[in-house]
PDB file of all heavy atoms in Angstrom:
ATOM      1  N   GLU A 568     -92.222 -11.197 -79.199  1.00 97.00           N
ATOM      2  CA  GLU A 568     -93.606 -10.747 -79.418  1.00 97.00           C
ATOM      3  C   GLU A 568     -94.059 -11.020 -80.840  1.00 97.00           C
ATOM      4  O   GLU A 568     -95.203 -11.438 -81.067  1.00 97.00           O
ATOM      5  CB  GLU A 568     -93.742  -9.259 -79.094  1.00 97.00           C
ATOM      6  CG  GLU A 568     -95.156  -8.751 -79.250  1.00 97.00           C
ATOM      7  CD  GLU A 568     -95.459  -7.549 -78.368  1.00 97.00           C
ATOM      8  OE1 GLU A 568     -95.084  -7.556 -77.187  1.00 97.00           O
ATOM      9  OE2 GLU A 568     -96.100  -6.614 -78.868  1.00 97.00           O
ATOM     10  N   GLN A 569     -93.172 -10.813 -81.803  1.00 97.00           N
ATOM     11  CA  GLN A 569     -93.543 -11.103 -83.196  1.00 97.00           C
ATOM     12  C   GLN A 569     -93.803 -12.588 -83.389  1.00 97.00           C
ATOM     13  O   GLN A 569     -94.744 -12.988 -84.096  1.00 97.00           O
ATOM     14  CB  GLN A 569     -92.439 -10.627 -84.151  1.00 97.00           C
ATOM     15  CG  GLN A 569     -92.831 -10.719 -85.624  1.00 97.00           C
ATOM     16  CD  GLN A 569     -94.061  -9.900 -85.950  1.00 97.00           C
ATOM     17  OE1 GLN A 569     -94.111  -8.697 -85.684  1.00 97.00           O
ATOM     18  NE2 GLN A 569     -95.090 -10.544 -86.493  1.00 97.00           N
ATOM     19  N   ALA A 570     -93.003 -13.414 -82.745  1.00 98.00           N
ATOM     20  CA  ALA A 570     -93.213 -14.863 -82.827  1.00 98.00           C
ATOM     21  C   ALA A 570     -94.569 -15.239 -82.234  1.00 98.00           C
ATOM     22  O   ALA A 570     -95.312 -16.052 -82.801  1.00 98.00           O
ATOM     23  CB  ALA A 570     -92.094 -15.611 -82.110  1.00 98.00           C
ATOM     24  N   LEU A 571     -94.907 -14.646 -81.100  1.00 98.00           N
ATOM     25  CA  LEU A 571     -96.201 -14.926 -80.479  1.00 98.00           C
ATOM     26  C   LEU A 571     -97.347 -14.487 -81.372  1.00 98.00           C
ATOM     27  O   LEU A 571     -98.360 -15.202 -81.531  1.00 98.00           O
ATOM     28  CB  LEU A 571     -96.293 -14.221 -79.122  1.00 98.00           C
ATOM     29  CG  LEU A 571     -95.395 -14.771 -78.005  1.00 98.00           C
ATOM     30  CD1 LEU A 571     -95.465 -13.873 -76.774  1.00 98.00           C
ATOM     31  CD2 LEU A 571     -95.783 -16.201 -77.625  1.00 98.00           C
ATOM     32  N   LEU A 572     -97.218 -13.322 -81.992  1.00 98.00           N
ATOM     33  CA  LEU A 572     -98.262 -12.840 -82.896  1.00 98.00           C
ATOM     34  C   LEU A 572     -98.444 -13.787 -84.078  1.00 98.00           C
ATOM     35  O   LEU A 572     -99.579 -14.108 -84.466  1.00 98.00           O
ATOM     36  CB  LEU A 572     -97.909 -11.438 -83.395  1.00 98.00           C
ATOM     37  CG  LEU A 572     -98.051 -10.292 -82.386  1.00 98.00           C
ATOM     38  CD1 LEU A 572     -97.446  -9.008 -82.939  1.00 98.00           C
ATOM     39  CD2 LEU A 572     -99.518 -10.071 -82.027  1.00 98.00           C
ATOM     40  N   ASP A 573     -97.338 -14.245 -84.652  1.00 98.00           N
ATOM     41  CA  ASP A 573     -97.415 -15.159 -85.797  1.00 98.00           C
ATOM     42  C   ASP A 573     -98.054 -16.484 -85.391  1.00 98.00           C
ATOM     43  O   ASP A 573     -98.852 -17.064 -86.145  1.00 98.00           O
ATOM     44  CB  ASP A 573     -96.024 -15.397 -86.372  1.00 98.00           C
ATOM     45  CG  ASP A 573     -95.447 -14.148 -87.047  1.00 98.00           C
ATOM     46  OD1 ASP A 573     -96.229 -13.244 -87.364  1.00 98.00           O
ATOM     47  OD2 ASP A 573     -94.212 -14.090 -87.212  1.00 98.00           O
ATOM     48  N   ILE A 574     -97.705 -16.974 -84.195  1.00 98.00           N
ATOM     49  CA  ILE A 574     -98.269 -18.239 -83.708  1.00 98.00           C
ATOM     50  C   ILE A 574     -99.774 -18.099 -83.483  1.00 98.00           C
ATOM     51  O   ILE A 574    -100.571 -18.960 -83.874  1.00 98.00           O
ATOM     52  CB  ILE A 574     -97.557 -18.664 -82.407  1.00 98.00           C
ATOM     53  CG1 ILE A 574     -96.119 -19.099 -82.715  1.00 98.00           C
ATOM     54  CG2 ILE A 574     -98.319 -19.794 -81.714  1.00 98.00           C
ATOM     55  CD1 ILE A 574     -95.262 -19.262 -81.474  1.00 98.00           C
ATOM     56  N   ILE A 575    -100.175 -16.992 -82.846  1.00 98.00           N
ATOM     57  CA  ILE A 575    -101.597 -16.764 -82.571  1.00 98.00           C
ATOM     58  C   ILE A 575    -102.381 -16.648 -83.870  1.00 98.00           C
ATOM     59  O   ILE A 575    -103.477 -17.215 -84.010  1.00 98.00           O
ATOM     60  CB  ILE A 575    -101.769 -15.504 -81.706  1.00 98.00           C
ATOM     61  CG1 ILE A 575    -101.187 -15.747 -80.308  1.00 98.00           C
ATOM     62  CG2 ILE A 575    -103.231 -15.091 -81.606  1.00 98.00           C
ATOM     63  CD1 ILE A 575    -101.007 -14.481 -79.489  1.00 98.00           C
ATOM     64  N   ALA A 576    -101.819 -15.913 -84.838  1.00 98.00           N
ATOM     65  CA  ALA A 576    -102.500 -15.738 -86.119  1.00 98.00           C
ATOM     66  C   ALA A 576    -102.649 -17.067 -86.853  1.00 98.00           C
ATOM     67  O   ALA A 576    -103.730 -17.397 -87.363  1.00 98.00           O
ATOM     68  CB  ALA A 576    -101.733 -14.741 -86.981  1.00 98.00           C
ATOM     69  N   ALA A 577    -101.571 -17.838 -86.884  1.00 97.00           N
ATOM     70  CA  ALA A 577    -101.592 -19.095 -87.647  1.00 97.00           C
ATOM     71  C   ALA A 577    -102.487 -20.144 -86.996  1.00 97.00           C
ATOM     72  O   ALA A 577    -103.325 -20.764 -87.661  1.00 97.00           O
ATOM     73  CB  ALA A 577    -100.169 -19.632 -87.792  1.00 97.00           C
ATOM     74  N   HIS A 578    -102.334 -20.334 -85.705  1.00 98.00           N
ATOM     75  CA  HIS A 578    -103.071 -21.417 -85.033  1.00 98.00           C
ATOM     76  C   HIS A 578    -104.444 -20.984 -84.550  1.00 98.00           C
ATOM     77  O   HIS A 578    -105.297 -21.842 -84.266  1.00 98.00           O
ATOM     78  CB  HIS A 578    -102.240 -21.962 -83.878  1.00 98.00           C
ATOM     79  CG  HIS A 578    -101.043 -22.739 -84.323  1.00 98.00           C
ATOM     80  ND1 HIS A 578    -101.044 -24.107 -84.449  1.00 98.00           N
ATOM     81  CD2 HIS A 578     -99.804 -22.328 -84.716  1.00 98.00           C
ATOM     82  CE1 HIS A 578     -99.861 -24.514 -84.882  1.00 98.00           C
ATOM     83  NE2 HIS A 578     -99.089 -23.453 -85.049  1.00 98.00           N
ATOM     84  N   GLY A 579    -104.670 -19.691 -84.486  1.00 97.00           N
ATOM     85  CA  GLY A 579    -105.993 -19.202 -84.119  1.00 97.00           C
ATOM     86  C   GLY A 579    -106.811 -18.782 -85.321  1.00 97.00           C
ATOM     87  O   GLY A 579    -107.922 -18.263 -85.157  1.00 97.00           O
ATOM     88  N   ASN A 580    -106.237 -18.983 -86.523  1.00 97.00           N
ATOM     89  CA  ASN A 580    -106.919 -18.608 -87.769  1.00 97.00           C
ATOM     90  C   ASN A 580    -107.356 -17.137 -87.733  1.00 97.00           C
ATOM     91  O   ASN A 580    -108.518 -16.797 -87.971  1.00 97.00           O
ATOM     92  CB  ASN A 580    -108.131 -19.512 -88.025  1.00 97.00           C
ATOM     93  CG  ASN A 580    -107.716 -20.950 -88.265  1.00 97.00           C
ATOM     94  OD1 ASN A 580    -106.770 -21.218 -89.014  1.00 97.00           O
ATOM     95  ND2 ASN A 580    -108.426 -21.892 -87.642  1.00 97.00           N
ATOM     96  N   MET A 581    -106.405 -16.278 -87.400  1.00 96.00           N
ATOM     97  CA  MET A 581    -106.690 -14.846 -87.293  1.00 96.00           C
ATOM     98  C   MET A 581    -105.808 -14.049 -88.250  1.00 96.00           C
ATOM     99  O   MET A 581    -104.748 -14.520 -88.679  1.00 96.00           O
ATOM    100  CB  MET A 581    -106.407 -14.343 -85.867  1.00 96.00           C
ATOM    101  CG  MET A 581    -107.090 -15.061 -84.758  1.00 96.00           C
ATOM    102  SD  MET A 581    -106.594 -14.334 -83.149  1.00 96.00           S
ATOM    103  CE  MET A 581    -107.148 -15.608 -82.018  1.00 96.00           C
ATOM    104  N   SER A 582    -106.226 -12.824 -88.504  1.00 96.00           N
ATOM    105  CA  SER A 582    -105.349 -11.881 -89.183  1.00 96.00           C
ATOM    106  C   SER A 582    -104.332 -11.391 -88.162  1.00 96.00           C
ATOM    107  O   SER A 582    -104.510 -11.555 -86.955  1.00 96.00           O
ATOM    108  CB  SER A 582    -106.152 -10.698 -89.716  1.00 96.00           C
ATOM    109  OG  SER A 582    -106.682  -9.938 -88.641  1.00 96.00           O
ATOM    110  N   LEU A 583    -103.273 -10.752 -88.642  1.00 94.00           N
ATOM    111  CA  LEU A 583    -102.279 -10.219 -87.712  1.00 94.00           C
ATOM    112  C   LEU A 583    -102.877  -9.126 -86.823  1.00 94.00           C
ATOM    113  O   LEU A 583    -102.504  -8.985 -85.657  1.00 94.00           O
ATOM    114  CB  LEU A 583    -101.065  -9.681 -88.472  1.00 94.00           C
ATOM    115  CG  LEU A 583    -100.033 -10.729 -88.915  1.00 94.00           C
ATOM    116  CD1 LEU A 583     -98.930 -10.073 -89.740  1.00 94.00           C
ATOM    117  CD2 LEU A 583     -99.422 -11.439 -87.700  1.00 94.00           C
ATOM    118  N   ASP A 584    -103.824  -8.350 -87.378  1.00 93.00           N
ATOM    119  CA  ASP A 584    -104.486  -7.321 -86.557  1.00 93.00           C
ATOM    120  C   ASP A 584    -105.287  -7.957 -85.433  1.00 93.00           C
ATOM    121  O   ASP A 584    -105.261  -7.480 -84.291  1.00 93.00           O
ATOM    122  CB  ASP A 584    -105.402  -6.461 -87.434  1.00 93.00           C
ATOM    123  CG  ASP A 584    -104.631  -5.460 -88.282  1.00 93.00           C
ATOM    124  OD1 ASP A 584    -103.441  -5.229 -87.966  1.00 93.00           O
ATOM    125  OD2 ASP A 584    -105.209  -4.922 -89.230  1.00 93.00           O
ATOM    126  N   ASP A 585    -106.006  -9.045 -85.760  1.00 95.00           N
ATOM    127  CA  ASP A 585    -106.778  -9.734 -84.728  1.00 95.00           C
ATOM    128  C   ASP A 585    -105.859 -10.403 -83.707  1.00 95.00           C
ATOM    129  O   ASP A 585    -106.166 -10.449 -82.509  1.00 95.00           O
ATOM    130  CB  ASP A 585    -107.697 -10.781 -85.367  1.00 95.00           C
ATOM    131  CG  ASP A 585    -108.856 -10.143 -86.121  1.00 95.00           C
ATOM    132  OD1 ASP A 585    -109.157  -8.970 -85.849  1.00 95.00           O
ATOM    133  OD2 ASP A 585    -109.445 -10.819 -86.993  1.00 95.00           O
ATOM    134  N   ALA A 586    -104.731 -10.914 -84.194  1.00 97.00           N
ATOM    135  CA  ALA A 586    -103.766 -11.529 -83.283  1.00 97.00           C
ATOM    136  C   ALA A 586    -103.194 -10.480 -82.332  1.00 97.00           C
ATOM    137  O   ALA A 586    -102.987 -10.753 -81.140  1.00 97.00           O
ATOM    138  CB  ALA A 586    -102.644 -12.190 -84.079  1.00 97.00           C
ATOM    139  N   ASP A 587    -102.961  -9.295 -82.853  1.00 95.00           N
ATOM    140  CA  ASP A 587    -102.452  -8.205 -82.022  1.00 95.00           C
ATOM    141  C   ASP A 587    -103.473  -7.827 -80.944  1.00 95.00           C
ATOM    142  O   ASP A 587    -103.116  -7.571 -79.785  1.00 95.00           O
ATOM    143  CB  ASP A 587    -102.123  -7.000 -82.900  1.00 95.00           C
ATOM    144  CG  ASP A 587    -101.447  -5.886 -82.120  1.00 95.00           C
ATOM    145  OD1 ASP A 587    -100.355  -6.127 -81.566  1.00 95.00           O
ATOM    146  OD2 ASP A 587    -102.011  -4.783 -82.047  1.00 95.00           O
ATOM    147  N   GLU A 588    -104.746  -7.817 -81.317  1.00 94.00           N
ATOM    148  CA  GLU A 588    -105.789  -7.509 -80.343  1.00 94.00           C
ATOM    149  C   GLU A 588    -105.898  -8.625 -79.302  1.00 94.00           C
ATOM    150  O   GLU A 588    -106.090  -8.355 -78.111  1.00 94.00           O
ATOM    151  CB  GLU A 588    -107.132  -7.322 -81.055  1.00 94.00           C
ATOM    152  CG  GLU A 588    -108.224  -6.825 -80.139  1.00 94.00           C
ATOM    153  CD  GLU A 588    -109.453  -6.344 -80.887  1.00 94.00           C
ATOM    154  OE1 GLU A 588    -109.343  -6.030 -82.085  1.00 94.00           O
ATOM    155  OE2 GLU A 588    -110.530  -6.294 -80.264  1.00 94.00           O
ATOM    156  N   TYR A 589    -105.744  -9.873 -79.755  1.00 96.00           N
ATOM    157  CA  TYR A 589    -105.770 -11.015 -78.835  1.00 96.00           C
ATOM    158  C   TYR A 589    -104.640 -10.891 -77.809  1.00 96.00           C
ATOM    159  O   TYR A 589    -104.853 -11.088 -76.605  1.00 96.00           O
ATOM    160  CB  TYR A 589    -105.616 -12.301 -79.646  1.00 96.00           C
ATOM    161  CG  TYR A 589    -105.571 -13.586 -78.855  1.00 96.00           C
ATOM    162  CD1 TYR A 589    -106.716 -14.352 -78.663  1.00 96.00           C
ATOM    163  CD2 TYR A 589    -104.381 -14.062 -78.297  1.00 96.00           C
ATOM    164  CE1 TYR A 589    -106.694 -15.547 -77.937  1.00 96.00           C
ATOM    165  CE2 TYR A 589    -104.336 -15.243 -77.576  1.00 96.00           C
ATOM    166  CZ  TYR A 589    -105.484 -15.983 -77.404  1.00 96.00           C
ATOM    167  OH  TYR A 589    -105.449 -17.146 -76.693  1.00 96.00           O
ATOM    168  N   LEU A 590    -103.444 -10.524 -78.292  1.00 96.00           N
ATOM    169  CA  LEU A 590    -102.307 -10.382 -77.389  1.00 96.00           C
ATOM    170  C   LEU A 590    -102.509  -9.197 -76.441  1.00 96.00           C
ATOM    171  O   LEU A 590    -102.117  -9.261 -75.274  1.00 96.00           O
ATOM    172  CB  LEU A 590    -101.018 -10.213 -78.207  1.00 96.00           C
ATOM    173  CG  LEU A 590     -99.705 -10.427 -77.445  1.00 96.00           C
ATOM    174  CD1 LEU A 590     -99.618 -11.843 -76.886  1.00 96.00           C
ATOM    175  CD2 LEU A 590     -98.502 -10.146 -78.347  1.00 96.00           C
ATOM    176  N   SER A 591    -103.126  -8.141 -76.945  1.00 93.00           N
ATOM    177  CA  SER A 591    -103.414  -6.980 -76.082  1.00 93.00           C
ATOM    178  C   SER A 591    -104.380  -7.368 -74.973  1.00 93.00           C
ATOM    179  O   SER A 591    -104.253  -6.891 -73.830  1.00 93.00           O
ATOM    180  CB  SER A 591    -103.989  -5.833 -76.914  1.00 93.00           C
ATOM    181  OG  SER A 591    -103.012  -5.304 -77.794  1.00 93.00           O
ATOM    182  N   GLU A 592    -105.354  -8.218 -75.298  1.00 94.00           N
ATOM    183  CA  GLU A 592    -106.290  -8.683 -74.277  1.00 94.00           C
ATOM    184  C   GLU A 592    -105.569  -9.531 -73.236  1.00 94.00           C
ATOM    185  O   GLU A 592    -105.856  -9.438 -72.037  1.00 94.00           O
ATOM    186  CB  GLU A 592    -107.427  -9.464 -74.920  1.00 94.00           C
ATOM    187  CG  GLU A 592    -108.388  -8.601 -75.723  1.00 94.00           C
ATOM    188  CD  GLU A 592    -109.480  -9.413 -76.381  1.00 94.00           C
ATOM    189  OE1 GLU A 592    -109.501 -10.651 -76.200  1.00 94.00           O
ATOM    190  OE2 GLU A 592    -110.302  -8.814 -77.092  1.00 94.00           O
ATOM    191  N   LEU A 593    -104.641 -10.364 -73.698  1.00 96.00           N
ATOM    192  CA  LEU A 593    -103.836 -11.139 -72.748  1.00 96.00           C
ATOM    193  C   LEU A 593    -103.075 -10.204 -71.822  1.00 96.00           C
ATOM    194  O   LEU A 593    -102.980 -10.443 -70.605  1.00 96.00           O
ATOM    195  CB  LEU A 593    -102.848 -12.044 -73.495  1.00 96.00           C
ATOM    196  CG  LEU A 593    -103.391 -13.232 -74.280  1.00 96.00           C
ATOM    197  CD1 LEU A 593    -102.237 -14.047 -74.873  1.00 96.00           C
ATOM    198  CD2 LEU A 593    -104.259 -14.131 -73.413  1.00 96.00           C
ATOM    199  N   ARG A 594    -102.521  -9.143 -72.389  1.00 95.00           N
ATOM    200  CA  ARG A 594    -101.748  -8.187 -71.586  1.00 95.00           C
ATOM    201  C   ARG A 594    -102.644  -7.498 -70.552  1.00 95.00           C
ATOM    202  O   ARG A 594    -102.283  -7.375 -69.388  1.00 95.00           O
ATOM    203  CB  ARG A 594    -101.098  -7.139 -72.502  1.00 95.00           C
ATOM    204  CG  ARG A 594     -99.991  -6.327 -71.844  1.00 95.00           C
ATOM    205  CD  ARG A 594     -99.573  -5.160 -72.709  1.00 95.00           C
ATOM    206  NE  ARG A 594     -99.105  -5.548 -74.007  1.00 95.00           N
ATOM    207  CZ  ARG A 594     -97.828  -5.780 -74.328  1.00 95.00           C
ATOM    208  NH1 ARG A 594     -96.902  -5.679 -73.404  1.00 95.00           N
ATOM    209  NH2 ARG A 594     -97.499  -6.104 -75.562  1.00 95.00           N
ATOM    210  N   GLU A 595    -103.830  -7.063 -70.966  1.00 93.00           N
ATOM    211  CA  GLU A 595    -104.728  -6.389 -70.044  1.00 93.00           C
ATOM    212  C   GLU A 595    -105.222  -7.318 -68.949  1.00 93.00           C
ATOM    213  O   GLU A 595    -105.496  -6.884 -67.829  1.00 93.00           O
ATOM    214  CB  GLU A 595    -105.925  -5.790 -70.806  1.00 93.00           C
ATOM    215  CG  GLU A 595    -105.603  -4.507 -71.541  1.00 93.00           C
ATOM    216  CD  GLU A 595    -106.811  -3.604 -71.702  1.00 93.00           C
ATOM    217  OE1 GLU A 595    -107.924  -4.019 -71.327  1.00 93.00           O
ATOM    218  OE2 GLU A 595    -106.626  -2.473 -72.183  1.00 93.00           O
ATOM    219  N   ASN A 596    -105.332  -8.598 -69.273  1.00 94.00           N
ATOM    220  CA  ASN A 596    -105.786  -9.586 -68.294  1.00 94.00           C
ATOM    221  C   ASN A 596    -104.642 -10.177 -67.481  1.00 94.00           C
ATOM    222  O   ASN A 596    -104.814 -11.183 -66.782  1.00 94.00           O
ATOM    223  CB  ASN A 596    -106.563 -10.706 -68.995  1.00 94.00           C
ATOM    224  CG  ASN A 596    -107.868 -10.214 -69.581  1.00 94.00           C
ATOM    225  OD1 ASN A 596    -108.508  -9.341 -69.029  1.00 94.00           O
ATOM    226  ND2 ASN A 596    -108.264 -10.763 -70.725  1.00 94.00           N
ATOM    227  N   LYS A 597    -103.457  -9.555 -67.583  1.00 95.00           N
ATOM    228  CA  LYS A 597    -102.257  -9.971 -66.848  1.00 95.00           C
ATOM    229  C   LYS A 597    -101.796 -11.382 -67.220  1.00 95.00           C
ATOM    230  O   LYS A 597    -101.129 -12.054 -66.441  1.00 95.00           O
ATOM    231  CB  LYS A 597    -102.495  -9.879 -65.331  1.00 95.00           C
ATOM    232  CG  LYS A 597    -102.926  -8.509 -64.841  1.00 95.00           C
ATOM    233  CD  LYS A 597    -101.849  -7.465 -65.100  1.00 95.00           C
ATOM    234  CE  LYS A 597    -102.260  -6.100 -64.615  1.00 95.00           C
ATOM    235  NZ  LYS A 597    -102.289  -5.971 -63.157  1.00 95.00           N
ATOM    236  N   ARG A 598    -102.142 -11.819 -68.425  1.00 97.00           N
ATOM    237  CA  ARG A 598    -101.692 -13.132 -68.895  1.00 97.00           C
ATOM    238  C   ARG A 598    -100.458 -13.023 -69.801  1.00 97.00           C
ATOM    239  O   ARG A 598     -99.878 -14.047 -70.174  1.00 97.00           O
ATOM    240  CB  ARG A 598    -102.816 -13.861 -69.636  1.00 97.00           C
ATOM    241  CG  ARG A 598    -103.923 -14.369 -68.721  1.00 97.00           C
ATOM    242  CD  ARG A 598    -104.949 -15.152 -69.501  1.00 97.00           C
ATOM    243  NE  ARG A 598    -104.327 -16.244 -70.255  1.00 97.00           N
ATOM    244  CZ  ARG A 598    -104.899 -16.842 -71.300  1.00 97.00           C
ATOM    245  NH1 ARG A 598    -106.101 -16.446 -71.720  1.00 97.00           N
ATOM    246  NH2 ARG A 598    -104.278 -17.826 -71.919  1.00 97.00           N
ATOM    247  N   TYR A 599    -100.078 -11.812 -70.142  1.00 97.00           N
ATOM    248  CA  TYR A 599     -98.860 -11.581 -70.924  1.00 97.00           C
ATOM    249  C   TYR A 599     -98.117 -10.450 -70.236  1.00 97.00           C
ATOM    250  O   TYR A 599     -98.518  -9.291 -70.294  1.00 97.00           O
ATOM    251  CB  TYR A 599     -99.214 -11.221 -72.364  1.00 97.00           C
ATOM    252  CG  TYR A 599     -98.035 -10.856 -73.236  1.00 97.00           C
ATOM    253  CD1 TYR A 599     -96.849 -11.591 -73.226  1.00 97.00           C
ATOM    254  CD2 TYR A 599     -98.109  -9.766 -74.114  1.00 97.00           C
ATOM    255  CE1 TYR A 599     -95.787 -11.254 -74.043  1.00 97.00           C
ATOM    256  CE2 TYR A 599     -97.049  -9.429 -74.944  1.00 97.00           C
ATOM    257  CZ  TYR A 599     -95.897 -10.169 -74.903  1.00 97.00           C
ATOM    258  OH  TYR A 599     -94.834  -9.840 -75.719  1.00 97.00           O
ATOM    259  N   GLN A 600     -97.032 -10.802 -69.528  1.00 97.00           N
ATOM    260  CA  GLN A 600     -96.298  -9.826 -68.733  1.00 97.00           C
ATOM    261  C   GLN A 600     -94.821  -9.859 -69.099  1.00 97.00           C
ATOM    262  O   GLN A 600     -94.261 -10.934 -69.346  1.00 97.00           O
ATOM    263  CB  GLN A 600     -96.475 -10.130 -67.233  1.00 97.00           C
ATOM    264  CG  GLN A 600     -97.926 -10.109 -66.776  1.00 97.00           C
ATOM    265  CD  GLN A 600     -98.061 -10.351 -65.286  1.00 97.00           C
ATOM    266  OE1 GLN A 600     -97.248  -9.903 -64.484  1.00 97.00           O
ATOM    267  NE2 GLN A 600     -99.102 -11.077 -64.903  1.00 97.00           N
TER     268      GLN A 600
END
Side-chain angles (χ1 to χ4, degrees):
E568 182 153 316
Q569 188 59 55
L571 290 173
L572 287 170
D573 292 342
I574 290 168
I575 293 166
H578 290 264
N580 295 315
M581 306 179 195
S582 66
L583 279 176
D584 284 344
D585 288 340
D587 186 61
E588 188 167 339
Y589 178 96
L590 196 61
S591 292
E592 289 178 1
L593 290 184
R594 195 190 301 267
E595 282 208 355
N596 293 326
K597 304 297 180 71
R598 287 184 55 200
Y599 175 44
Q600 301 182 37

